[in-house]
Amino acid sequence: MRRIDVIGIGFGIFVAGGLAYLFFQSVGLDSISAGIWAQTLLVGGLLGWLLTYAFRAVTQTMTYNQQIKDYQQAVLQKRLEELSPEELERLQAEVEQEKEKEGKCSSGN
């Protein structure tokens, strides 16, 4: 996110708080109550965003993590495409041997 985006979002939240304050005053609340309710709304929104952020961080579904996974997939795909048919066949045989070893180990327990 660019610095100007952060400034824009901050300014937008500031304006939203002012509009919420004016709305609550227009509905008939006094200035203190309108301020309290406007702050409650903003804090509630902030806590909601924070919870979604924490959830995405814990489940690793953030943009950065997804970009790394996509990059790793692309690198592996490129390496597979560059293998000769003989190398690919040898690699597949190794994978099959590993699967058989894992199958024997887990069934032996």
Side-chain angles (χ1 to χ4, degrees):
M1 184 178 289
R2 300 174 307 170
R3 190 174 301 150
I4 191 70
D5 296 334
V6 173
I7 292 170
I9 291 170
F11 183 72
I13 291 172
F14 178 74
V15 169
L19 290 175
Y21 174 77
L22 292 174
F23 169 76
F24 287 125
Q25 271 196 325
S26 70
V27 202
L29 293 176
D30 60 29
S31 61
I32 292 177
S33 296
I36 290 172
W37 280 107
Q39 288 178 5
T40 303
L41 241 157
L42 289 175
V43 169
L46 177 65
L47 289 175
W49 172 81
L50 184 63
L51 288 174
T52 64
Y53 183 85
F55 177 77
R56 288 182 292 132
V58 168
T59 60
Q60 294 188 344
T61 55
M62 298 177 76
T63 304
Y64 176 73
N65 293 333
Q66 190 59 44
Q67 287 173 341
I68 287 178
K69 288 177 187 175
D70 293 344
Y71 174 76
Q72 290 171 340
Q73 280 294 98
V75 167
L76 288 175
Q77 185 63 36
K78 178 112 171 114
R79 287 184 182 171
L80 274 176
E81 291 170 358
E82 292 173 348
L83 289 176
S84 68
E86 295 82 21
E87 292 172 321
L88 188 58
E89 198 171 303
R90 187 168 21 106
L91 184 61
Q92 287 174 336
E94 287 177 20
V95 169
E96 288 299 320
Q97 287 177 354
E98 287 295 320
K99 284 184 181 178
E100 289 175 11
K101 284 182 185 177
E102 288 176 11
K104 289 179 183 176
C105 287
S106 44
S107 63
N109 287 334

